[in-house]
Amino acid sequence: MPNKLPKFFDNHKICIICEGNEEYEYLNRLKNLKVWNEQYDISLVNAGGNGNIPARYQDRYQNGADELVLVFCDTEKKPHEQYEDIKRKINEFHGVDSAANEVIMFGNPCTMQIISKHWTDENLKSPAKPVNAPLIKEYTGVENYKGRADQIRKVMEHVTAENYKDMSRRVKKLETIDTITGGSNFGRFIELFEGGDVGWIYEINNRIEV
């Protein structure tokens, strides 16, 4: 008789600490669209605000259940005080001055900078929702966007596997320095999540562990 035992795939567990609802729902949408390499088992944690990110990150890292823990957040506007505080605490936790740069996926000034790239080349200049609401209405039909749960869900319906390719292409053209308005390093991680070589997980861990 043929072997009926199920195949077990050795998936690589990655946890992403999401700043809030927008970040969580967006990455969850991309997960559900299955646009990334299936060998990555990505779990999401909603930190419920940027002030909670360092503690959530430390808890998850020390838990040891994941091969890698990342952060997905925005920089807000200058002088980026809360964002810089997140970086400082992650660096101090690891005892490595550049640890945060290895594990944080950012959008400057906000995560909508990345999400909007599904529909437009336009760069956002402000994290303020009233400023960005007209653009969101133009491409999703959602009126007066304020980041409410029902509004986020409606926006996510307009994120598709087809326009994911457009977003990917556009985001990879952005500046990757976190102090530059209109920048994001998400494109770098998109390539890693799509690829088949898992060596990058070990490389990051080697750089953040003393």
Side-chain angles (χ1 to χ4, degrees):
M1 286 181 65
N3 191 339
K4 295 287 187 183
L5 289 174
K7 289 182 180 178
F8 290 98
F9 294 97
D10 188 17
N11 285 354
H12 297 274
K13 294 184 181 299
I14 298 172
C15 176
I16 303 176
I17 310 297
C18 304
E19 177 177 327
N21 296 338
E22 213 170 62
E23 291 79 10
Y24 179 89
E25 294 297 342
Y26 177 57
L27 292 188
N28 196 47
R29 176 67 171 174
L30 295 185
K31 271 187 65 178
N32 291 336
L33 291 174
K34 302 188 185 308
V35 291
W36 293 332
N37 195 303
E38 62 182 8
Q39 70 180 324
Y40 297 118
D41 178 8
I42 296 177
S43 57
L44 306 174
V45 172
N46 188 340
N50 55 14
N52 300 324
I53 289 174
R56 296 283 187 280
Y57 176 85
Q58 291 177 31
D59 286 348
R60 192 71 185 218
Y61 187 89
Q62 289 173 325
N63 177 276
D66 310 286
E67 288 179 57
L68 183 67
V69 182
L70 301 172
V71 171
F72 186 44
C73 66
D74 51 35
T75 65
E76 292 290 339
K77 55 182 181 288
K78 292 177 181 177
H80 314 303
E81 288 175 348
Q82 290 170 308
Y83 174 72
E84 289 297 332
D85 193 50
I86 292 167
K87 289 176 66 177
R88 179 180 58 78
K89 287 177 177 175
I90 289 176
N91 289 342
E92 288 177 353
F93 170 67
H94 286 292
V96 176
D97 288 344
S98 59
N101 293 333
E102 298 289 340
V103 300
I104 292 180
M105 301 182 286
F106 70 87
N108 182 333
C110 57
T111 307
M112 189 53 71
Q113 176 75 274
I114 297 166
I115 300 171
S116 65
K117 288 290 182 280
H118 283 264
W119 315 296
T120 177
D121 281 305
E122 187 173 342
N123 273 354
L124 306 186
K125 304 291 193 296
S126 167
K129 288 181 171 61
V131 174
N132 299 323
L135 180 140
I136 295 169
K137 181 188 175 186
E138 179 181 351
Y139 292 104
T140 69
V142 175
E143 299 261 5
N144 194 23
Y145 183 77
K146 294 179 178 176
R148 295 196 317 264
D150 61 314
Q151 292 178 320
I152 294 173
R153 281 196 299 271
K154 288 179 180 175
V155 166
M156 292 311 147
E157 290 173 5
H158 296 268
V159 171
T160 67
E162 288 72 34
N163 61 34
Y164 166 83
K165 295 170 186 171
D166 298 324
M167 177 278 297
S168 179
R169 173 176 51 80
R170 289 168 174 146
V171 166
K172 287 171 185 175
K173 294 178 182 176
L174 297 178
E175 292 284 352
T176 56
I177 300 170
D178 57 13
T179 53
I180 295 178
T181 303
S184 175
N185 66 346
F186 193 53
R188 170 195 166 207
F189 286 93
I190 286 173
E191 288 189 339
L192 297 174
F193 293 152
E194 290 177 350
D197 181 2
V198 301
W200 64 277
I201 294 176
Y202 309 108
E203 289 171 9
I204 289 178
N205 280 321
N206 286 336
R207 290 196 285 264
I208 64 176
E209 293 169 358
V210 178

